[in-house]
Amino acid sequence: MNGVHYGVATAEQVAGMSGLQRMQAVVAGTLPQATISHTLDFVLVDAGPGTAVFEGRPGPTLLNPMGTVHGGWALTLIDSATGCAAMTTLAPGVAYTTVETKANMNRAITPATGLVRCEGRVIAQGRTIITAEARVLDTDGRLLAHGTSTLLVLAGR
């Protein structure tokens, strides 16, 4: 993805920022995309209250022995979209960690699939647990995979 920079934001860069502000700064390019985004060729392209959207291109380096994109790629997209959606709901200084992510694969993904979009959204938020869901879609809106995550809120991190 051209023009994108990758890395880990420093504590100074994110001091006082809410989770939504952090995610929107990644989209705007003022904070870096996560390094896993470079490795797996996907990026955060939109973030709003309780939502996060990633786009990526499945390439030939992601294939399993059967010649289709490994299901772990879609699962990683789902984990990223649900986690970042949850992040958008958090106050400054609050973090999260994934407790569980599960997915269903609905269609084979191949390099010929082209651009893939993963849309995540929070479906329930408590003080300590957030649940979110995500859908992986092709450019025609066909469902390729979907899943849910349970996330643990870590106060004061």
Side-chain angles (χ1 to χ4, degrees):
M1 306 258 166
N2 293 335
V4 175
H5 67 286
Y6 303 92
V8 177
T10 65
E12 293 78 23
Q13 288 175 302
V14 299
M17 295 175 82
S18 69
L20 178 58
Q21 290 169 320
R22 288 175 69 171
M23 296 298 94
Q24 289 176 334
V26 171
V27 171
T30 55
L31 289 179
Q33 294 276 343
T35 57
I36 194 166
S37 293
H38 185 257
T39 302
L40 296 181
D41 201 15
F42 62 77
V43 293
L44 180 65
V45 296
D46 192 26
T51 65
V53 179
F54 283 80
E55 289 183 348
R57 293 200 179 274
T61 61
L62 303 171
L63 301 181
N64 62 29
M66 295 180 295
T68 59
V69 172
H70 191 281
W73 187 74
L75 181 63
T76 302
L77 275 170
I78 290 166
D79 184 56
S80 298
T82 55
C84 289
M87 183 68 182
T88 68
T89 68
L90 300 179
V94 179
Y96 75 92
T97 191
T98 301
V99 174
E100 175 186 56
T101 297
K102 51 190 166 186
N104 292 329
M105 308 307 168
N106 298 88
R107 290 178 180 264
I109 300 172
T110 70
T113 301
L115 186 69
V116 170
R117 183 175 175 91
C118 185
E119 302 172 350
R121 71 179 185 95
V122 170
I123 54 177
Q125 181 179 5
R127 287 181 308 193
T128 57
I129 296 290
I130 297 172
T131 54
E133 63 185 7
R135 296 167 46 96
V136 180
L137 309 164
D138 68 12
T139 56
D140 293 326
R142 287 182 294 221
L143 185 66
L144 304 173
H146 61 95
T148 58
S149 291
T150 303
L151 306 119
L152 178 65
V153 177
L154 305 169
R157 292 249 176 217

